[in-house]
Amino acid sequence: KSAWAICFEDTLNFIEWNFSHNYIPQNTIIAEKDGTCASAMQLMPYKLNIGGEIFNARYVSGVCTLPKYRGYGLVREMFDFAHPKMYDMGADISILIPAVDGMYEKFGYRELAKRKLYKLDDISGFNVICEFSDELILTLDEIYKKEMSTKSMYISRCRFDWERILTDLLILSGGRVLMSDGGYALAYPKNNSYEIWEICGDIRLDVKTVPAPPVLAKIINTQKISEEIFRSSEDRYINMLL
């Protein structure tokens, strides 16, 4: 938790929530040096639907090294350990969204899909929801499942995933869910405007595209997933809130 707080610009509320809801010791790799947690990463489990088939995925999150211990190759050692560990956990593929360009290719990661984020200055005119409810989860899940049924790649979500997304969006980030009759958008406040991290279904927005890092992946189980999945990445986009 201390390493996360030093390395990332997250609020204390988010950090506390992250480590009380997402953190599991069995999914965490730590590089110890001088008796200190010098570097760490988390391997969060997800289900990834590729062409109608469900694969076990591990999303690499929170890769961080204390400034004092950078340059010792600790992250490389963690990845060398993590990949066979993920295989033992039953993972077919590892995915991540890089915060730094060119950092993860040397560990075997390649572009799997592009991402789009959007900027929206005005959210008036929409049905704006700012409160967490069971009805909201059911509505979003219905729209998501309908929209994703036509996609070739997406994250399969359960109630726990929606609870985590909406807690981060509505409670920790002060964001909003923008609703229409057949669609939604998830809007996070950003510099007196909003960043739209996910648009799903039939909803019209006057938005500007914001640069977004792609989704990178490394095949863990070569018996179940072939290199073919990388060949269509140029035309593939994916909305992923992880």
Side-chain angles (χ1 to χ4, degrees), residues 182-197:
Y184 69 80
L186 305 183
Y188 286 76
K190 183 77 170 181
N191 299 330
N192 298 318
S193 62
Y194 288 88
E195 277 189 358
I196 308 299
W197 285 29

Side-chain angles (χ1 to χ4, degrees), residues 58-230:
R58 288 282 170 161
Y59 174 65
V60 179
S61 170
V63 180
C64 59
T65 303
L66 292 174
K68 178 180 177 181
Y69 297 106
R70 292 171 186 169
Y72 288 92
L74 297 180
V75 171
R76 176 173 292 280
E77 289 188 34
M78 286 195 300
F79 273 107
D80 287 344
F81 178 84
H83 292 143
K85 183 68 174 178
M86 284 188 266
Y87 182 86
D88 292 340
M89 290 173 164
D92 303 311
I93 189 170
S94 172
I95 55 178
L96 58 83
I97 298 173
V100 179
D101 290 340
M103 178 176 176
Y104 296 100
E105 285 79 358
K106 57 180 173 288
F107 306 128
Y109 287 84
R110 298 163 56 189
E111 183 176 298
L112 178 65
K114 299 181 184 298
R115 292 169 63 240
K116 288 183 178 180
L117 296 182
Y118 306 92
K119 181 180 178 181
L120 181 65
D121 294 325
D122 184 11
I123 63 173
S124 63
F126 294 97
N127 178 14
V128 179
I129 299 176
C130 56
E131 293 185 359
F132 190 111
S133 69
D134 288 339
E135 181 181 0
L136 178 60
I137 290 178
L138 292 174
T139 301
L140 296 181
D141 191 54
E142 182 179 354
I143 295 171
Y144 184 80
K145 286 180 177 177
K146 181 179 178 180
E147 181 73 9
M148 293 303 108
S149 66
T150 63
K151 307 299 182 183
S152 63
M153 181 179 295
Y154 61 93
I155 292 291
S156 295
R157 290 180 181 162
C158 62
R159 180 183 175 86
F160 174 75
D161 298 317
W162 283 114
E163 288 178 348
R164 183 165 54 189
I165 289 168
L166 293 176
T167 298
D168 179 30
L169 173 67
L170 300 177
I171 299 175
L172 299 173
S173 301
R176 299 290 185 264
V177 179
L178 312 181
M179 298 292 303
S180 69
D181 290 338
Y184 69 80
L186 305 183
Y188 286 76
K190 183 77 170 181
N191 299 330
N192 298 318
S193 62
Y194 288 88
E195 277 189 358
I196 308 299
W197 285 29
E198 181 166 295
I199 299 174
C200 190
D202 184 15
I203 182 169
R204 297 181 181 276
L205 300 171
D206 183 16
V207 294
K208 303 173 183 177
T209 303
V210 177
V215 178
L216 303 185
K218 177 180 173 62
I219 298 173
I220 300 298
N221 187 344
T222 57
Q223 301 299 313
K224 291 188 66 174
I225 301 180
S226 73
E227 293 287 325
E228 292 289 329
I229 65 167
F230 292 108

